[in-house]
Amino acid sequence: MKNFKNSSTANAKAAAPAETPGLLSEVEGTLQGHRDGHGFLLPDVGTQDIYLSQQEMHAVMHGDRLRVRITRYDKRGRPEGRVLEILERKKKPIIGRLLLESGIWLVAPEDKRMGQDILIPKAGIANAVAGQVVAVELIEPPSLYAQPVGRVVEVLGEIDDPGMEIEIAVRKYDVPHRFSAATLAQAAKLPEKLRAVDLKGRIDLRDVALVTIDGEDARDFDDAVYCEPHKQGRGKTAFSGWRLLVAIADVSHYVKPGDPLDGDAYERATSVYFPRRVIPMLPEKLSNGLCSLNPYEDRLSMVCDMLVNESGEVSAYQFYPAVIRSHARFTYNEVAAILGNTHGPEAAKRRDLVPHLLNLHEVYRALLGERHRRGAIDFDTVETQIVCDDNGRIEKIIPRTRNEAHKLIEEAMLAANVCAADFIEHSKHGSLFRVHEGPTPEKRVALQAYLRALGLGLSIGDNPKPSEYQAIAAATKDRVDATQIHAMLLRSMQQAQYTAANAGHFGLSYQAYTHFTSPIRRYPDLLVHRVIKAILSDKKYQLDAGKMDVPMPAKRPGRAAPIDPAKAATELERWEVVGAHCSANERRADEASRDVEAWLKCRYMREHLGEEFAGTVSAVTSFGLFVQLDALFVEGLIHITELGGEYFKFDEVRQELRGERTGIRYATGAKVQVQVGRVDLDARKIDFRLVQESGEAKLLARAARDKAGQGARAAALALPVTAEEELEQLLSRDREVKAVAKAARRGTAGRSRSGGASSPAAQAPHPVELARQVARKNQASKASKSGKSAKAGKSAAASAKTGGKRR
C-alpha cells in the first residue's frame, strides 16, 4: 500500500494578469447578447468584456465571433467597442415559436439574447403551423438594414406538449441529445453479461458484502461501499481503525479511446439531469446495464482500498481492478432509518447487513471529525426536489434533506477522490484535478468590508484559509441573518473547475483533489480511471488527437484566456484543453437544467397569480429584492418601485436596501409578505408585490431609533402600524401645510394690490413655522378625544419636526 501521509502540497497555478485593451485597439472574441438589445464581446485574450450598443448589434447575433475596436471608456473604466468584422457566424439552429403577423411568417427566438426575430419565407415553413416550436437554420444573416432570414429544419411540437421545455433547453444550450449511429451500433455489440476474458487480472471480491446506497429515483449505480474494523501490528507501529472499500464501476473497460462511444461521451462530458428525464453521457445499455452496479449481478469495478485510523486519517491505500457483486441496493432513507433504530422494521429486513452499515457509520464519524479538524467549509443549505405529474408539470416542490446516509456516502467518496489525486500526483502523470481556488483579491476585500460592517469581530486574513470561513459559518449559524452571511461567504469563492495543474481544493481544504467516483456520468472520472490503470501497468496514458478537435472555449470573466486547442503542443496544454472542455460542458448542463426548472416554476406560478405568500429575502440588489416563498420554494423579484413611496439606497458593503426617509432596511433573511403580480414565461421571471411585511412595526421602530437615537423611543412607539398608514398621514400633513401657505400668500398679495405696505410682522410666516402651527392645532384637537390624547400629541410633535425638515 502507498503511504498517504507523504503527499506534498502542490504550488498554486499563477493567475494571469488582467489585460486592459488600449483605446482604438482591435480585439477578437465571442459575442454574448443581452435581452435588452445590447451585447458584450468576450475577448479571446484578456479579461475585460467590451460593451456593444444596440446600434452595433443590428448586423450580429449572439454566439457570433467578431473583431471590434475599442472606441471609448465609460466613467468606470469599462471599454465600449464598434464592430469591425464578423469572423464567424454561429452555425447551430435557432429555437423559437413560429408566428404569422399581418401575413408575414417569422420566428421569435426562445433565447432572447438573439435580439432579433427571424423572417421565414412561405416556402420555408415546412409543415409547421403558427404557434408551434421549431428549429430554424439561417439562410441570410442580419445586416444593418435587414432582419435575418431562415427556414424551418425541425418541428418540435406545441409549446404545451409534455417535455417541450426540455426539448427547447437541449437545443437552446447546444446539449448533444442523440447518440451517433456508430455509437449505438457499438453499444449493441457489447455482451449482455460478463465473460471469462473480462475477469482476467482482477481480484475477486464477490464474497465481500459491498452495497450501493442511492436515492429512490436513481437508475445508475456507479459506487458500492464496504467497511470492517481493522487492527494490525504492535507497539508504536500498531494500527487500529477500519478498512474502507469504495468500488467504482469500471467504465474504462468498455469505453476505449478513439471508439465512437468515447467520442460521444467526450462531446457530452457529463450527463444532464432534468425533472423526469436524464440525458446520459453513455447509452442506456452501459449506464443502466453493464456498468451499473445492480444488486446480485457480477460487475467490473476499480477499487480504492483504504485504511482509516481512529482519527479519521487515511493512513494507506491501494487501487486495483476487481470483480464485485453488490449484496443489496439501499436507499438513503432506508439506511438512515436503520442507523436510527437497529431494531426497527427496516433493520429486520436487512439483518445480515446491519453490522456492515454500522461499521460504515463508525468510519464516517471518524472521517467527519477529521473534516472538522481540517477546517473544511460546510454550509447547511436547503436543496429542493421538483415533483411532476404525468404531464410533466410541477405538482409540488419539496425540500431535499441530507440525512446521515447522504453524509456517509459523501465522506466515503471524498476519501476515494483524495486518494486518486494523491496517487496520480506522486506518479507525476498528466491528468485532471478538480481545483477550487480561494477568493480573488477583489472578492476578498469586499468580504472583509462586509464582515467589518456587521461588527462580528470575525474576518478573514489577506491570505484566507478554509478554517477561517468555517469559523465564521459556525459562529453565525444561529443568527437571524445567517443566510445572508453564508451567502456572502459562498459568493466570495471562485467556481470549481477541471485543470491539469493541481492548485488544491479550497472549500474542502484538500491539497490535491480529483473526481474518481462517477465515471458513468462524468468524463473526467473516466479519464482518471484510465490514468490510474496506466500507472498500475507501468504505462503512460496519452490523450488522442481527437480530444483537441473541439471549439475554442469562450473566455470567462476574471479568468485568463483559454488555450487554443489547435495550438496545444505540450502534454500539459492538451490536458488543459480537455479540462476547459469538460468544465464548459458542466456549466452548460447546469444552465440547461436551471432553465428547465425556471420554466416549470413560472408555469406553476401562473396558477397562483394574485395569491399572497410568506417569503424570505434571498438576495438584495440595487434594483430590488429576490424573495423565496417559504411554502413553495419558488423565487421571484420585488422591484425597488414596489417597496413604497420613498427612495431606497443600495448599500453594497452591507448588502441591503435602506429607505432614506424612514431608515427601513431590507437585507437577506428578512421576512416579507408578497403577492404574485406577474409571470413572464419567455423571460423565466416571476414578479412579486410587497403587500405587508411581517413585523413591519418593529422594523419602523428600529429605523426610528437609528435616525433619532435613544431619545426618540416615545416617537417610535407612536409610529403607525403599516407603511401605507404612515404614508397617508404624511400626505395629509403636506396638504394642510400647503393650504395654510397658499392662504397666507393670497392675503399678502391682496394687501399689495390695495397699496398697503406690509411690515415684517404682517408677512406670511415661514413654511416651517406653518408646519409647527398645523401640528400644534392637530395636537390640541386630538388631545380632546378620550383615550387618544397622549399618543396623538407625541405623533403630531414628531410629525411636525419631520414635515418641517422635508419642506
Side-chain angles (χ1 to χ4, degrees), residues 138-176:
L138 288 184
I139 300 174
E140 299 178 11
S143 65
L144 290 175
Y145 308 104
Q147 288 180 257
V149 180
R151 64 183 182 90
V152 175
V153 294
E154 183 183 7
V155 180
L156 303 183
E158 301 294 337
I159 188 65
D160 292 325
D161 290 347
M164 179 55 64
E165 67 279 358
I166 298 177
E167 296 296 333
I168 292 173
V170 295
R171 292 164 176 83
K172 177 179 176 180
Y173 292 95
D174 299 331
V175 176

Side-chain angles (χ1 to χ4, degrees), residues 621-632:
T621 68
S622 59
F623 52 85
L625 309 172
F626 284 97
V627 175
Q628 185 179 72
L629 304 184
D630 296 339
L632 302 183

